[in-house]
């Protein structure tokens, strides 16, 4: 096992250790809130979907990459590779679009209440499930090439002249033209929501700046608490957007470089791409847990319940 394999395996092991429990905590917290309160706010629904797709990214990408780094390459059959790559590309893209959707709803929530915005604010939550369904169908459609060109690494040591080597699977394109076309479509799909979320973040910052100037002249403690809640939520969204721009910016630069190479006999560039695109799935739960009061409240309740059970256990043990 070479040095690069050790580094790669350790890096993806760390992503798995951080990403899996982090996303599971968020899924559990919001699922419990939906069960106990019988409803979720639109932003909470988006965050729940984001945690689910990030969890899938960790499961279908970080774990196979870690195992492949440690020499376990023949993980999937041709059908397994097609499914795994398709799930990864779908959830990776959904992670981008859901982050944009979250920033868009944050824009709506803090926008000034005017005649133009009032009706839109009331109608937007009612269309959320339709938007989510569209995003799932849209991104699954873009992942169809994975079903067509994904093959197992078993018996395919180098793929062909137009393949992308993932070590445990190959994406075997029939020609350079198809490879570049598919790559450009994926870049376009990623760039659009990234630019939109940057625009939304700038708008959020402008609204919060004007709002903070107004709050300075108010003495009501209620307004101050409301302002701090809005600022906390906005900071979390902007942090998620900033992380996405950095990580997926690097990812797409490496993807463009990949498209310029006729054949990839080594997986180093692919390893770097996967690491940076998977990094968001592991880091974003930390931002959400630290900034989201509902998640913190659920964790606090769990700790209190465990603390209250401990004395009872000790008492029952003494009685025995």
């Amino acid at each position: 096992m070479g040095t690069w394999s050790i580094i790669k395996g350790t890096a993806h092991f760390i992503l798995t250790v951080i990403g899996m429990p982090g996303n599971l905590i968020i899924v559990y917290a919001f699922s419990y809130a939906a069960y106990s309160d019988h409803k979720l706010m639109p932003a909470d629904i988006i965050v729940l979907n984001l945690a689910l797709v990030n969890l899938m990214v960790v499961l279908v990408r970080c774990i196979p990459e870690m195992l492949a780094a440690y020499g376990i390459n023949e993980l999937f059959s041709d059908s397994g590779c097609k499914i795994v790559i398709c799930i990864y590309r779908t959830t990776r893209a959904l992670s981008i679009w859901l982050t944009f959707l979250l920033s868009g709803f944050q824009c709506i929530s803090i926008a000034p209440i005017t005649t133009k915005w009032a009706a839109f604010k009331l109608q937007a939550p009612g269309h959320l499930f339709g938007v989510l369904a569209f995003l799932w169908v849209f991104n699954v459609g873009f992942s169809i090439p994975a079903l067509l060109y994904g093959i197992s690494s078993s018996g395919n040591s180098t793929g062909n002249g137009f393949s992308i080597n993932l070590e445990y699977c190959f994406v075997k394109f029939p020609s350079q033209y198809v490879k570049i076309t598919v790559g450009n479509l994926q870049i376009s799909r990623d760039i659009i929501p990234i630019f939109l979320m940057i625009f939304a973040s700038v708008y959020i910052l402008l609204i919060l700046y004007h709002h903070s100037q107004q709050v300075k002249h108010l003495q009501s403690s209620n307004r101050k608490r409301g302002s701090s809640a809005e600022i906390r939520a906005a900071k979390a969204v902007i942090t998620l957007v900033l992380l996405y721009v950095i990580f997926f910016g690097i990812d797409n630069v490496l993807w463009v470089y990949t498209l310029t190479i006729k054949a990839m006999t080594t997986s180093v560039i692919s390893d770097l791409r996967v690491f940076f695109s998977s990094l968001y799935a592991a880091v974003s739960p930390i931002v959400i847990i630290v900034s989201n009061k509902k998640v913190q409240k659920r964790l606090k309740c769990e700790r209190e319940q465990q603390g209250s059970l401990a004395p009872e256990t000790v008492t029952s043990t003494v009685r025995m």
Side-chain angles (χ1 to χ4, degrees), residues 300-312:
K300 183 179 179 181
C301 289
E302 289 293 329
R303 286 195 297 267
E304 290 176 350
Q305 289 177 2
Q306 291 177 2
S308 63
L309 289 174
E312 295 179 4

Side-chain angles (χ1 to χ4, degrees), residues 210-224:
H210 291 300
H211 183 65
S212 65
Q213 298 301 310
Q214 295 174 357
V215 169
K216 286 180 181 179
H217 303 288
L218 299 175
Q219 300 299 321
S220 171
S221 59
N222 291 333
R223 288 297 297 274
K224 289 181 181 178

Side-chain angles (χ1 to χ4, degrees), residues 223-239:
R223 288 297 297 274
K224 289 181 181 178
R225 283 196 295 268
S227 174
S228 63
E230 289 178 354
I231 291 174
R232 184 172 58 251
K235 284 182 178 179
V237 172
I238 291 171
T239 301

Side-chain angles (χ1 to χ4, degrees), residues 23-312:
N23 286 297
L24 283 171
I25 287 171
I26 297 169
V27 171
Y28 167 70
F30 283 113
S31 297
Y32 186 89
Y35 172 77
S36 59
D37 300 338
H38 304 291
K39 68 175 181 178
L40 283 176
M41 298 296 291
D44 297 338
I45 296 172
I46 298 171
V47 172
L48 175 58
N49 276 265
L50 182 60
L52 284 171
V53 298
N54 284 337
L55 180 62
M56 292 301 298
V57 169
V58 174
L59 289 173
V60 303
R61 201 59 159 190
C62 293
I63 294 178
E65 290 285 340
M66 177 183 66
L67 294 175
Y70 293 137
I72 308 174
N73 294 325
E74 298 182 5
L75 297 172
F76 308 106
S77 63
D78 286 351
S79 298
C81 279
K82 294 177 189 297
I83 294 171
V84 166
I85 296 173
C86 182
I87 291 174
Y88 169 70
R89 289 188 175 177
T90 300
T91 52
R92 173 192 175 279
L94 275 168
S95 189
I96 304 176
W97 282 97
L98 288 171
T99 303
F100 158 64
L101 189 62
L102 183 62
S103 63
F105 265 85
Q106 185 64 30
C107 284
I108 296 171
S109 66
I110 68 171
I113 302 176
T114 61
T115 305
K116 182 171 111 177
W117 279 100
F120 188 66
K121 281 190 173 188
L122 292 173
Q123 295 174 4
H127 297 289
L128 177 59
F129 287 103
V131 173
L132 289 172
F134 169 77
L135 290 179
W136 275 93
V137 173
F138 173 75
N139 285 292
V140 168
F142 262 88
S143 302
I144 288 177
L147 297 175
L148 299 176
Y149 308 128
I151 60 172
S152 172
S153 62
S154 178
N156 294 282
S157 59
T158 59
N160 65 4
F162 318 106
S163 63
I164 297 176
N165 182 8
L166 302 176
E167 287 197 11
Y168 54 89
C169 290
F170 279 94
V171 182
K172 190 175 180 180
F173 296 103
S175 67
Q176 184 71 4
Y177 173 78
V178 173
K179 178 181 176 182
I180 293 176
T181 301
V182 172
N184 287 333
L185 287 174
Q186 290 184 1
I187 292 172
S188 301
R189 179 189 60 181
D190 295 349
I191 290 296
I192 292 173
I194 287 176
F195 275 112
L196 290 174
M197 68 175 72
I198 291 174
F199 175 78
S201 298
V202 172
Y203 179 78
I204 290 172
L205 288 173
L206 291 174
I207 292 296
L208 288 179
Y209 173 77
H210 291 300
H211 183 65
S212 65
Q213 298 301 310
Q214 295 174 357
V215 169
K216 286 180 181 179
H217 303 288
L218 299 175
Q219 300 299 321
S220 171
S221 59
N222 291 333
R223 288 297 297 274
K224 289 181 181 178
R225 283 196 295 268
S227 174
S228 63
E230 289 178 354
I231 291 174
R232 184 172 58 251
K235 284 182 178 179
V237 172
I238 291 171
T239 301
L240 291 174
V241 171
L242 181 61
L243 290 174
Y244 230 120
V245 171
I246 294 173
F247 297 154
F248 281 86
I250 297 173
D251 171 28
N252 280 308
V253 168
L254 293 174
W255 177 239
V256 171
Y257 174 73
T258 301
L259 296 178
T260 63
I261 301 174
K262 185 176 180 181
M264 283 184 60
T265 57
T266 176
S267 65
V268 173
I269 299 299
S270 176
D271 293 341
L272 290 173
R273 281 191 57 236
V274 170
F275 175 77
F276 281 106
S277 61
S278 303
L279 193 56
Y280 181 82
V283 175
S284 61
I286 299 174
V287 177
I288 295 171
I289 292 171
V290 169
S291 61
N292 193 284
K293 291 295 183 182
K294 288 185 178 179
V295 177
Q296 293 175 9
K297 181 180 178 181
R298 187 65 245 153
L299 290 175
K300 183 179 179 181
C301 289
E302 289 293 329
R303 286 195 297 267
E304 290 176 350
Q305 289 177 2
Q306 291 177 2
S308 63
L309 289 174
E312 295 179 4

